[in-house]
Amino acid sequence: MQERQLYIQILSNLLIPVLGFWLWNWNLYFIVLFYVLDILSSEVVVYLKSKKIREAGKKEAIKSPVNTYKIISGLFVTATIAVIQLGILLLHPDIRLKDEIWSFLTYKELGIQQGFLLIPLVVMMAFSSYKIEFLIPKVYLREEQRSLWKSHLKERFLLIAFCAILAFIAAGFQFQEWIILTIILIVTSGYTYLQGRERIKQLTA
């Protein structure tokens, strides 16, 4: 990953939440659902990376308990989504989550239900990042499954912690939705930048 690509990634990650909230009249839960799609797509990508490393035939000094990592990662994703749902319920006790999810998928923008646009878009963005950051520079030839999964699980743990802290603080102080969204955008952009800088260092080392 080059620095220019990193900035493009950060801007693309900001674009849809910003447009959705301030232009398309999305509520906070719509934004959260978009991030849930991103979380699920990134989970698929880490499986693809692990498979590619295995197919490359790279021998590891210590055998990686990949199946255990997969189970833990799946539990982390489930816990993250549960914490997010709990946070929304704390902010809006009267919200009907199933109705909101259906509204999110069927909401029409330019005459097209956005579910048919957003899901393929998120998948395309995730695969594009996988190709540019992992396949093209052939990271799979020098990375081990153990380090890949440990890094991924660390990210998942930090995500759960961030979601839980933000949910309880926002509910306790009754933050307005735009404040919560601003915090989410700042924290996610900052983390993406730091992670990107670290990957750039690894690729140029």
Side-chain angles (χ1 to χ4, degrees):
M1 171 186 280
Q2 298 178 352
E3 192 162 345
R4 180 169 171 268
Q5 293 172 337
L6 173 60
Y7 291 131
I8 292 175
Q9 179 183 351
I10 293 173
L11 289 175
S12 64
N13 290 343
L14 289 171
L15 185 62
I16 292 180
V18 169
L19 290 177
F21 191 80
W22 277 285
L23 183 63
W24 301 331
N25 296 319
W26 284 7
N27 58 33
L28 180 64
Y29 192 52
F30 275 26
I31 304 292
V32 165
L33 288 174
F34 170 75
Y35 278 112
V36 168
L37 289 177
D38 186 62
I39 290 170
L40 294 175
S41 66
S42 66
E43 191 70 12
V44 173
V45 166
V46 79
Y47 278 75
L48 293 176
K49 289 180 178 180
S50 180
K51 180 182 178 183
K52 188 65 178 179
I53 292 173
R54 186 181 71 250
E55 290 175 348
K58 181 176 175 58
K59 293 184 178 180
E60 302 186 13
I62 302 176
K63 184 176 176 59
S64 301
V66 175
N67 290 334
T68 302
Y69 291 149
K70 289 179 179 179
I71 293 172
I72 296 174
S73 184
L75 292 174
F76 276 4
V77 170
T78 303
T80 300
I81 295 174
V83 168
I84 289 172
Q85 303 283 37
L86 175 61
I88 292 296
L89 288 172
L90 289 174
L91 286 168
H92 303 290
D94 297 329
I95 194 172
R96 297 172 64 89
L97 296 180
K98 289 183 179 179
D99 292 343
E100 289 295 316
I101 293 172
W102 180 249
S103 296
F104 172 76
L105 294 173
T106 58
Y107 177 83
K108 288 188 177 182
E109 185 62 39
L110 300 176
I112 303 174
Q113 292 183 349
Q114 66 181 8
F116 291 106
L117 292 174
L118 284 181
I119 294 176
L121 178 61
V122 171
V123 171
M124 183 180 68
M125 290 171 60
F127 185 78
S128 176
S129 176
Y130 166 63
K131 182 178 179 181
I132 293 172
E133 298 176 17
F134 192 79
L135 293 182
I136 293 177
K138 298 183 179 180
V139 176
Y140 54 87
L141 294 178
R142 55 182 178 275
E143 185 166 18
E144 296 183 345
Q145 290 192 79
R146 176 181 290 271
S147 62
L148 171 72
W149 280 103
K150 282 189 173 181
S151 176
H152 178 69
L153 293 179
K154 177 184 175 182
E155 290 181 8
R156 286 291 179 252
F157 176 79
L158 292 174
L159 179 61
I160 294 174
F162 169 67
C163 290
I165 293 170
L166 179 60
F168 286 106
I169 291 178
F173 288 94
Q174 289 297 302
F175 286 167
Q176 295 183 26
E177 290 192 347
W178 73 267
I179 296 176
I180 300 172
L181 176 59
T182 301
I183 293 172
I184 292 173
L185 295 178
I186 291 173
V187 172
T188 55
S189 297
Y191 187 77
T192 300
Y193 175 78
L194 293 175
Q195 287 293 97
R197 293 295 303 175
E198 183 63 28
R199 285 196 295 269
I200 291 171
K201 290 180 180 178
Q202 292 174 355
L203 291 175
T204 56

